[in-house]
Amino acid sequence: MSLRLLRAEVWSPHPKMNRVTARLVPNNILQTPALIGHARLVVIGGDSHRLHEEIITAGGVIREGRFSRMNVGETKRALDAELRDPAPESIAKKLLELWPKHSSSLKLALEARMKDRTDGLQKSLQERAEKEAGDIEAILNELKKSIEEKIQSDKTNLEQFLPGFNDDEKKQYEIDMDNLRIRLKQIPEEIEQEKKVIQSRFADPVPRLFPVAVTFLVPEKLAREAGS
């Protein structure tokens, strides 16, 4: 539901969500302000099918006018410590003035995170492909078994009920049996075709990155200093 809302807001000409925010964090979390980017990561398969979607984050601290990238754990720790209190407006304005200088560094951080996350997804995507192939094979083999049992059951009952059939009923019975036999022969080929479709879907996954929002995190002590 959150991703649906985000997708709608990203493409809306009149979004209701703020794309930039500045929040306070405890002093033991950060010593200097941090710039965090939020982006929608979509992994597309070989047939343009969306295989995976999530929100990723990446960022860095701003120290002495320079952007120093944080690792995944540091970024999560900083965001988890975010307080409800907004940063003072005076600080937020100063941070926004730094945006043109650091925007390219943040973009590179998000792209690096996208690559790491995509590499990490390779195994799970392969497991999904194998599971989907196994599931479709099991479903079609179950159908094959049901048809075989139907044919065998009707063959057993044939001697008992066929003498009572009129010509039209006998003709329809033979048509039904022929259709079942045809369907039975189609299943092995259908299994292989479905497996190829799944393999194509998961082949060569391509990541797509859509930056959606920015969070500035400010240590509480800087807010106190600004207010004094």
Side-chain angles (χ1 to χ4, degrees), residues 115-173:
K115 183 180 184 306
D116 289 343
R117 184 67 183 120
T118 305
D119 290 344
L121 285 169
Q122 292 294 335
K123 181 179 179 181
S124 61
L125 290 176
Q126 182 60 36
E127 289 174 348
R128 273 181 55 193
E130 293 173 358
K131 182 179 184 303
E132 288 189 19
D135 288 345
I136 194 67
E137 183 173 8
I139 290 171
L140 291 174
N141 278 330
E142 184 64 28
L143 174 61
K144 179 174 178 289
K145 180 181 178 182
S146 297
I147 293 174
E148 289 172 338
E149 290 176 350
K150 171 67 173 173
I151 292 174
Q152 183 60 41
S153 175
D154 283 2
K155 185 178 179 180
T156 302
N157 296 328
L158 181 61
E159 296 178 358
Q160 179 180 355
F161 296 105
L162 190 58
F165 287 179
N166 59 39
D167 291 342
D168 289 340
E169 289 173 332
K170 290 178 181 179
K171 183 177 179 180
Q172 185 60 51
Y173 173 83

Side-chain angles (χ1 to χ4, degrees), residues 85-105:
D85 301 320
E89 187 175 348
S90 59
I91 293 180
K93 287 182 178 180
K94 290 180 180 179
L95 292 173
L96 283 175
E97 292 173 359
L98 297 175
W99 169 249
K101 180 180 179 181
H102 301 301
S103 60
S104 59
S105 296

